[in-house]
Amino acid sequence: MPESVPDAGYVLGALLVMFAVTVALRAAPFLALSGLKNSAVVDFLGRTMPVGVMIILVMYTLRDVGATTWLPATIGLCGTIAMHLWRRNAALSTVVGTGLYLVASAFWG
């Protein structure tokens, strides 16, 4: 075997280190948040984050709206608002609004 190829012990050690780091990184958020389970800050973020994400998405969508793209953006925005008022589901509202925007931009964009 060429000298540049590491032996099996080295490869196994590297794999074990990668495994340990991966497991630790995946467990860290759960361990960190376990002490904050009944925290007022976490409760506040849980209630306000969906609205904050929606506001950022609206601002991102409307930042480059021009004379020819205002109609698809308006249709997508109205569809998102209507779906959210009807179903109160941020993920569903986002998907429906994005779909309406894409369909409207294919016709009028």
Side-chain angles (χ1 to χ4, degrees), residues 8-26:
Y10 181 83
V11 172
L12 183 61
L15 287 173
L16 287 173
V17 169
M18 285 186 270
F19 173 77
V21 168
T22 301
V23 169
L25 287 175
R26 291 184 182 242

Side-chain angles (χ1 to χ4, degrees), residues 41-55:
V41 173
V42 174
D43 183 50
F44 172 76
L45 289 175
R47 285 184 282 112
T48 58
M49 283 294 286
V51 174
V53 169
M54 292 297 251
I55 290 171

Side-chain angles (χ1 to χ4, degrees), residues 3-106:
E3 291 183 28
S4 63
V5 176
D7 63 349
Y10 181 83
V11 172
L12 183 61
L15 287 173
L16 287 173
V17 169
M18 285 186 270
F19 173 77
V21 168
T22 301
V23 169
L25 287 175
R26 291 184 182 242
F30 296 104
L31 293 174
L33 289 178
S34 66
L36 300 173
K37 215 178 258 186
N38 296 323
S39 170
V41 173
V42 174
D43 183 50
F44 172 76
L45 289 175
R47 285 184 282 112
T48 58
M49 283 294 286
V51 174
V53 169
M54 292 297 251
I55 290 171
I56 290 170
L57 287 173
V58 167
M59 290 171 44
Y60 179 78
T61 301
L62 298 180
R63 71 185 171 124
D64 292 329
V65 172
T68 60
T69 58
W70 68 270
L71 184 60
T74 303
I75 291 171
L77 181 60
C78 290
T80 302
I81 291 170
M83 183 59 68
H84 191 70
L85 291 175
W86 179 43
R87 302 297 293 186
R88 299 280 184 203
N89 186 333
L92 180 63
S93 304
T94 304
V95 169
V96 168
T98 302
L100 285 172
Y101 174 76
L102 291 174
V103 169
S105 64

